[in-house]
Amino acid sequence: MSQKVSVTGIPSSAYIHIPFCRRRCFYCDFPVSVVGDRLRGETSGTIGQYIEVLCQEIAMSPVFGQSLETIFFGGGTPSLLSTAQLQRILQALEERFGIASGAEISMEVDPGTFDLAHITGYLSAGVNRVSLGVQAFQEELLKTAGRSHSLVDIFAAIELIRQVEVPEFSLDLISGLPHQSIDQWQDSLAQAVAAAPTHISIYDLTIEPGTAFGRYYKPGDNPLPTDETTVKMYQMGQQVLTGAGYQHYEISNYAQPGHQCRHNRVYWENRPYYGFGMGAASYLQGKRFTRPRKTKEYSQWVQAGAVIDCEVTPADEILLETLMLGLRLAEGVSLAVLSAQFGEAKVEEIHQCLQPYFEKGWVEVVGGRLRLSDPQGFLFSNVVLAKLFAELGA
Ligand code: SF4
């Protein structure tokens, strides 16, 4: 594509990676270091040292002039931070960018890693949204997945979140775990609904190379559920959660009306954002950059000036990213915006490329927006995106 595509937009969101976990789950390939609980709260320990480097990175970041509207502490296990450590990072963000009043400040928390004092402290520091990594409501599946917590820890965590009345409460589940039955999945969905979070995320397990599961299992093989079963699980999730009043607003995400995740919408709308910390990605001035995934290399990169050393994303890739991310949203992507950004001819090309899927009912245009149908289009999103990548890719 020769046309120059605008990738402007002033970032007002920041992702902060906290790369520490009590143990590594068997399916996880995120950039994390395993630390013991004893390191928690130490200023000179592993976590304390990391935070100093992270705050240095924040202090050196380019600033584009808009205060932060969303901040997301992801991991890893951000709930291994003490309140003072969390405050230290928020203070660094405030000093560098400013934090807008009413900003959404999210934090991923894991059962068994926080108590009443922690969660009260996080809220008083400014956190107003927590995302609880439950994954399954069966003790045996928690063990199978290598989670560090028990079922008792899950119920205690839910109780604490209720007790302190966290304004936004999201709960994560995983479908497609080894040995997971349809009945267990149904039970997990029912228990999730009973916990009454404002938001529920459901991830279908992917077997990643380099993980324990990658060594134990082959996708589609026993004891992993068959494709047919994972499709049933997806459909069941959609039926149970929409039946309970949650809107299926993104391929893997459900929210009570008015409770969508503002931060994650920035990604799906392909808008710019800051990223800080080991392995964190940022998208600034059209440059998508991922920081080193190992502590030592990350620290060296910060000491060397935290230089974002990469090319601006080419127009063809921006188009594919916009489609890949935007079609995850139930509302899809605006054809008028696509046309203004990439040209009418490109939009026509997209239509032609997707023609077979219009006929199958997997894609549709509603209110001037191109979107995947729910649940069929979402279920076959990989097929649709593969076709787009094959035909529109550079
Ligand atoms: S808690 Fe999350 S980040 Fe940590 S090992 Fe498990 S899946 Fe990975």
Side-chain angles (χ1 to χ4, degrees), residues 20-21 23-25 27-28 30 32 75-77 110 147:
F20 304 104
C21 290
R23 59 181 290 182
R24 185 177 276 277
C25 303
Y27 54 86
C28 177
F30 296 153
V32 292
T77 307
D110 270 338
R147 298 289 295 172

Side-chain angles (χ1 to χ4, degrees), residues 299-311:
S299 181
Q300 286 169 344
W301 173 78
V302 173
Q303 305 316 329
V307 179
I308 295 184
D309 182 16
C310 66
E311 299 296 316

Side-chain angles (χ1 to χ4, degrees), residues 17-34 74-78 80 108-111 113 133 135 145-149 172 174:
H17 192 65
I18 306 298
F20 304 104
C21 290
R22 294 202 298 179
R23 59 181 290 182
R24 185 177 276 277
C25 303
F26 296 156
Y27 54 86
C28 177
D29 74 339
F30 296 153
V32 292
S33 311
V34 172
T77 307
L80 288 178
E108 289 180 342
V109 300
D110 270 338
T113 61
Q135 317 313 356
R147 298 289 295 172
S148 68
H149 58 85
D172 288 357
I174 297 184

